[in-house]
Amino acid sequence: MWTDGSFDVTRMFPEDGDVPGDEVPGLARPNGARRVLSGFERGVPHTLTVYESSDHETELAAHYRHAFPQKI
């Protein structure tokens, strides 16, 4: 990892709230989910976003079925 500026590791993994980063464009996160990891590379269209949720996997699957009805 390289930076020309400051780098505060404690901001990367806060105890509460979301980590810095962006949401997945066009996709609503599940209610109550917390963003725990967000990554990207400049000039590359792909991103990585990880959420933490207390919902059961069946509730999360239903959320994503609704979000992507034609793909799931």
Side-chain angles (χ1 to χ4, degrees):
M1 187 172 293
W2 179 268
T3 181
D4 289 328
S6 62
F7 185 73
D8 183 359
V9 175
T10 60
R11 283 191 63 224
M12 289 178 65
F13 304 103
E15 291 185 30
D16 297 310
D18 291 331
V19 300
D22 295 319
E23 298 301 316
V24 178
L27 179 63
R29 76 164 82 175
N31 289 333
R34 175 179 174 241
R35 188 177 55 240
V36 294
L37 182 64
S38 180
F40 70 96
E41 181 179 350
R42 280 192 193 116
V44 177
H46 312 293
T47 63
L48 170 72
T49 305
V50 178
Y51 297 103
E52 175 182 73
S53 174
S54 60
D55 287 351
H56 189 272
E57 65 187 64
T58 55
E59 294 169 304
L60 294 170
H63 167 80
Y64 287 110
R65 271 193 210 92
H66 179 73
F68 292 118
Q70 71 282 8
K71 296 188 180 190
I72 296 180

